[in-house]
Amino acid sequence: MTLKTTLTLLVGAASLYAAAQTPIYLDDTKPLEERVHDALSRMNVADKIAIIHAQSKFSSPGVQRLGIPGIWCTDGPHGIRPDVLWDEWDQAGATNDSCVAFPALTCLAATWNPDMAALYGKSIGEEARYRNKNVLLGPGVNIYRSPLNGRNFEYMGEDPYLTSRMVVPYIQGVQANGVAACVKHYALNNQEIDRDHVDVYVDDRTLHEIYLPAFKAAIKEGGAWAIMPGYNKYAGDHACENSTLLLDILKGDWKFDGVAISDWGAVHNTEKVAANGLDMEFGSWTDGLANGASNAYDDYYLARPYLKLISEGKADTALLDDKAARVLRLIMRTEMNRNRPYGSLNSQDHYDAARRIAGEGIVLLKNNHNLLPVAEDVKRILLVGENAIKMMTVGGGSSSLKVQRETMPLEGIAAHAATWGIEVNYERGYVGDTTGEYNGVTTGQNLADSRSSQQLIANAVKAAREADMVIFIGGLNKSDHQDCEGTDRKNFSLPYAQDELITALAEANPNTVVVMLTGNAYSMPWKDKVPAIVQGWYIGSEAGNAIADVIFGHVNPSGKLPFTFASSLTDYAPHTNSAPEMYPGVDGKVYYKEGLDIGYRHTDRLPSTNVNYAFGHGLSYTTFALGKPQLSTPTLSGSDDTITVTVPVSNTGNRAGSEVIQVYVHDKKSSLPRPYKELKAFKKVKINPSETVNATLTLDKNAFAYFDDNRQQWIVEPGEFEILIGTASDAISACLPIEISAPGIAWHD
């Protein structure tokens, strides 16, 4: 045997030995569950405890001796939050952590277009991946119960079906980048007042029909890899320690195989959190919640206290194994996935996506005399309002961002106007929040103004009389007690004397357009005094350009309201009787006595004057006509049957535009009380002038079901139903009868 042959054999033997010793968990060609089991089998109890709690403000450790990396989380869900120090909330001082701010999720929901949700998820997922974040803490899907909830701007509106259809493609887009979407806040996080401790009581039927469907869709259809229980309690137990939510429903009924990650400081009891389904604990201080020593992560409830319970035989080690296995599965789906794309940050594609989503989500509420888009004979525009010059990407809580750039409405409108030879002037009109800072990120703007409210109004009115058109840009902002995490609004009115200002502008100039940047509904005492109203939302880095696109007609508005704009606060069900036990709660408890009657389900029972603009409402610069709809069959006779609704839609105007066909279901006679109608299908169609297209929508058994809380089943009763077809919840143009001939259809989640 030659020396060369001997060396070849030795090298070959060494390679085979090395291959035999390579742990399966490092080989991403092996099945995922086999890899998880292999890694878990090599870990001791200390390893397992270590990976289920934080090691810094936004990271958890892996298992260094086994080559298993940790997890890095980032706040969203509208953009990737800037980095903070390892153990403090102060900024890390990085120069490469600016991002693109995408529109808030209220705007995304207002597109009524799942394709926009997919684009949104893909784009924000690419930014998270480029920053090497493994978990995006979003999207939020809590239902819009009260217009006072300071965090409504982060969510997707009042309807469980609309929210469900929009959240699924968002999640899929994010996770295609190897970044986990962490859906939040599970569940019943519908107010910020006393959010850490408020105890929510709601009947099972309302829970399953209104407040859980979006989470269920996120898990069962979107395949979300993570979920975040909220701060609040449900029926006596905190969401992070709630066996009904986490064990019975999430991991039992829905077969969730991902990780339940606590909100920061939302854990309160080691015994409960160990036993009731939470998998990872994140927080701020000694015990994850209360102020105390820094670098105290080993003192978290799922750290040393949990290890002590196990060593004393007071905690089930099988539950620890389940938690650790879920975290390993998450790591292997993200950081240990070698096939992940690399992502991109601040790309032109992302700015284009933000602008496109914003343009499609802006809602034209009113447009008398076709005041919009701006006519060619307009020569002088007066822009009024603080929100025309105020950066909106900073503030609002954990979704606050450090952006690479943000185009203000004044900038966007002035730039567009210049190309048309239009003069644009500006008046402040009102002074609101001039701080421009959150968590160490500052806007750099100096918005100080010493003029009185009356002087500001007088100056704006004088300039309004000299303009061809006035565009007022106001609304709320992301300060405390407006649209902001941690606080709810104090009332339904606009702040800073804006109602008085708008009324005065309308009297001075009949061509006054009101553009509102908010994440909530608000009172409109001036509604009948202005000819045009635009709901603009918080729309991110491209805000100014997106608003200008719509104002000047480069984009034909097609957004639809994702929640009801009622006339007064008492027109919302939780506030109808001004009962504090329904909102904000008494002695730490809040009761959802309104049951299913949320949003249009409630206002359907009220006179039309109690609603300013209905759920699903939104105008266009063109006009549409719905033809005679047809059903594929007049009966549903089996649990696997589907019904197709075909609606001819014609563009009767002179420009291309998009319309949203909305299908609601009405149960004519039910064993249990039901809302008059419920959204069960929608489709957005783009149509050229003089063109007719067929919108095809499909209904299955879910469209006709209700949740029977006695049987804990979904039920479809035989009998007569009606299919209601229209373009808003108050704009129904057709009603088709349908018969459910199948014997009672029932199923569990």
Side-chain angles (χ1 to χ4, degrees):
M1 183 180 296
T2 66
L3 178 60
K4 182 178 180 181
T5 302
T6 302
L7 289 173
T8 300
L9 290 173
L10 288 172
V11 170
S15 299
L16 288 172
Y17 177 78
Q21 296 303 306
T22 301
I24 293 173
Y25 65 83
L26 292 176
D27 184 356
D28 58 7
T29 65
K30 297 290 185 180
L32 177 62
E33 295 310 309
E34 186 177 342
R35 297 177 66 207
V36 170
H37 177 76
D38 180 52
L40 189 66
S41 70
R42 299 167 188 265
M43 294 168 63
N44 56 41
V45 172
D47 293 331
K48 296 170 186 176
I49 291 289
I51 69 169
I52 65 171
H53 66 81
Q55 67 172 348
S56 75
K57 280 287 180 279
F58 281 95
S59 74
S60 65
V63 186
Q64 186 173 359
R65 66 182 182 83
L66 296 178
I68 297 173
I71 290 173
W72 280 91
C73 302
T74 181
D75 269 317
H78 312 132
I80 310 307
R81 187 175 180 173
D83 290 325
V84 297
L85 296 174
W86 180 264
D87 191 44
E88 302 293 335
W89 286 110
D90 295 335
Q91 292 294 298
T95 58
N96 60 350
D97 59 351
S98 298
C99 69
V100 172
F102 296 91
L105 293 188
T106 43
C107 180
L108 175 62
T111 70
W112 286 61
N113 188 347
D115 289 343
M116 289 298 98
L119 175 63
Y120 197 124
K122 173 182 179 293
S123 302
I124 197 171
E126 287 172 348
E127 298 236 334
R129 172 64 186 99
Y130 189 89
R131 291 268 303 280
N132 205 28
K133 307 300 184 183
N134 310 121
V135 179
L136 175 69
L137 302 175
V141 294
N142 291 102
I143 293 298
Y144 189 108
R145 178 176 181 255
S146 165
L148 300 186
N149 181 10
R151 215 164 182 181
N152 277 335
F153 74 96
E154 291 190 36
Y155 302 141
M156 299 193 196
E158 73 186 30
D159 185 75
Y161 182 81
L162 173 62
T163 306
S164 297
R165 294 309 91 211
M166 298 300 289
V167 72
V168 169
Y170 180 113
I171 290 168
Q172 293 170 338
V174 170
Q175 294 187 169
N177 289 281
V179 175
C182 184
V183 187
K184 61 185 188 183
H185 301 90
Y186 179 69
L188 303 164
N189 188 145
N190 305 114
Q191 65 185 63
E192 291 297 284
I193 290 180
D194 195 28
R195 67 172 182 173
D196 294 330
H197 305 288
V198 67
D199 194 359
V200 178
Y201 288 83
V202 60
D203 64 87
D204 280 359
R205 186 177 173 207
T206 300
L207 177 69
H208 283 269
E209 289 193 27
I210 302 295
Y211 296 102
L212 292 186
F215 291 104
K216 180 169 73 172
I219 301 305
K220 299 188 72 171
E221 299 177 57
W225 295 338
I227 193 168
M228 177 182 285
Y231 285 112
N232 56 287
K233 295 178 182 177
Y234 161 58
D237 287 319
H238 280 95
C240 284
E241 302 161 7
N242 197 292
S243 62
T244 300
L245 292 177
L246 297 177
L247 294 179
D248 297 344
I249 297 173
L250 179 67
K251 295 181 177 180
D253 294 341
W254 300 347
K255 312 300 182 196
F256 176 61
D257 71 351
V259 178
I261 300 175
S262 79
D263 208 337
W264 270 231
V267 179
H268 300 81
N269 181 282
T270 296
E271 290 82 358
K272 286 185 177 182
V273 75
N276 291 344
L278 190 80
D279 301 308
M280 292 189 77
E281 180 185 4
F282 280 83
S284 299
W285 304 104
T286 302
D287 58 4
L289 177 65
N291 285 342
S294 293
N295 266 321
Y297 303 102
D298 286 340
D299 293 320
Y300 278 17
Y301 294 103
L302 283 181
R304 267 196 290 254
Y306 189 18
L307 183 60
K308 183 173 183 290
L309 284 182
I310 290 174
S311 65
E312 293 173 350
K314 297 178 181 179
D316 188 346
T317 56
L319 294 180
L320 173 60
D321 283 352
D322 180 68
K323 298 177 195 297
R326 289 171 181 273
V327 174
L328 289 169
R329 190 177 294 119
L330 177 63
I331 294 170
M332 292 175 187
R333 283 169 164 167
T334 57
E335 186 66 23
M336 292 181 72
N337 174 9
R338 285 180 252 183
N339 296 316
R340 290 184 298 166
Y342 290 105
S344 55
L345 186 68
N346 295 318
S347 69
Q348 188 58 48
D349 284 347
H350 293 171
Y351 282 105
D352 292 345
R355 186 169 178 172
R356 181 181 174 192
I357 294 163
E360 195 160 324
I362 291 172
V363 182
L364 181 62
L365 296 176
K366 181 180 181 180
N367 193 26
N368 288 359
H369 317 302
N370 294 321
L371 185 58
L372 293 176
V374 174
E376 293 183 1
D377 60 353
V378 171
K379 298 303 179 186
R380 287 191 297 178
I381 293 176
L382 174 68
L383 212 58
V384 180
E386 180 176 280
N387 283 2
I389 60 171
K390 180 179 175 60
M391 286 183 66
M392 289 293 188
T393 55
V394 175
S398 59
S399 62
S400 180
L401 300 172
K402 182 171 81 174
V403 295
Q404 184 187 52
R405 69 173 190 258
E406 178 178 353
T407 304
M408 256 50 76
L410 175 58
E411 295 176 279
I413 290 173
H416 281 66
T419 64
W420 287 18
I422 298 175
E423 176 186 340
V424 175
N425 295 303
Y426 174 74
E427 283 289 341
R428 182 70 172 267
Y430 71 91
V431 175
D433 175 21
T434 63
T435 56
E437 187 275 338
Y438 183 83
N439 190 213
V441 176
T442 60
T443 63
Q445 294 182 299
N446 181 4
L447 298 180
D449 196 313
S450 61
R451 288 176 290 174
S452 68
S453 174
Q454 294 307 312
Q455 185 62 55
L456 287 162
I457 293 175
N459 291 350
V461 167
K462 181 177 183 295
R465 294 194 181 106
E466 301 171 355
D468 297 325
M469 172 183 280
V470 175
I471 301 176
F472 172 78
I473 300 184
L476 304 176
N477 56 45
K478 294 184 178 179
S479 302
D480 287 350
H481 302 295
Q482 296 203 44
D483 286 322
C484 185
E485 178 185 358
T487 61
D488 280 356
R489 297 167 66 193
K490 293 184 176 181
N491 54 61
F492 192 51
S493 302
L494 291 172
Y496 317 128
Q498 288 180 81
D499 290 337
E500 181 184 353
L501 171 59
I502 295 169
T503 300
L505 291 172
E507 291 174 354
N509 192 317
N511 297 326
T512 294
V513 178
V514 172
V515 179
M516 285 296 180
L517 307 184
T518 76
N520 261 307
Y522 41 86
S523 61
M524 298 179 175
W526 36 262
K527 170 175 171 275
D528 296 330
K529 299 176 182 178
V530 297
I533 306 172
V534 176
Q535 178 59 30
W537 318 111
Y538 301 120
I539 46 182
S541 289
E542 289 287 345
N545 289 326
I547 291 170
D549 286 341
V550 170
I551 292 295
F552 288 94
H554 304 308
V555 168
N556 190 349
S558 62
K560 300 281 186 174
L561 290 180
F563 50 82
T564 302
F565 274 52
S567 299
S568 68
L569 182 62
T570 55
D571 293 320
Y572 292 90
H575 304 279
T576 299
N577 300 313
S578 300
E581 67 269 18
M582 294 176 67
Y583 177 90
V586 175
D587 296 329
K589 296 181 180 180
V590 61
Y591 295 88
Y592 288 22
K593 294 181 179 180
E594 73 279 1
L596 303 174
D597 285 344
I598 286 297
Y600 68 90
R601 290 165 168 80
H602 170 69
T603 56
D604 272 352
R605 308 177 192 276
L606 304 178
S608 60
T609 53
N610 292 58
V611 176
N612 282 330
Y613 296 105
F615 172 79
H617 171 80
L619 304 178
S620 170
Y621 293 151
T622 189
T623 54
F624 301 97
L626 273 58
K628 184 178 180 180
Q630 292 185 331
L631 297 180
S632 59
T633 175
T635 63
L636 188 147
S637 56
S639 62
D640 295 327
D641 289 355
T642 59
I643 297 170
T644 299
V645 185
T646 303
V647 185
V649 189
S650 300
N651 184 337
T652 56
N654 58 8
R655 66 168 67 200
S658 296
E659 181 60 288
V660 179
I661 309 307
Q662 302 167 35
V663 173
Y664 299 80
V665 170
H666 168 57
D667 190 346
K668 296 189 71 173
K669 184 178 181 181
S670 173
S671 298
L672 295 179
R674 302 188 70 173
Y676 179 77
K677 65 176 179 287
E678 297 172 283
L679 181 72
K680 295 299 178 182
F682 64 88
K683 188 162 188 177
K684 195 167 199 174
V685 290
K686 187 172 183 178
I687 316 171
N688 292 319
S690 302
E691 181 184 18
T692 298
V693 301
N694 287 327
T696 302
L697 306 95
T698 301
L699 303 173
D700 61 15
K701 64 181 181 181
N702 294 283
F704 305 95
Y706 65 81
F707 188 82
D708 187 323
D709 47 1
N710 289 321
R711 297 167 60 180
Q712 291 291 301
Q713 286 183 309
W714 289 93
I715 303 293
V716 179
E717 290 182 328
E720 297 179 353
F721 289 75
E722 289 178 335
I723 308 297
L724 309 177
I725 301 163
T727 55
S729 62
D730 68 342
I732 303 300
S733 59
C735 174
L736 300 177
I738 185 168
E739 179 83 14
I740 305 295
S741 61
I745 302 170
W747 70 95
H748 294 283
D749 271 334

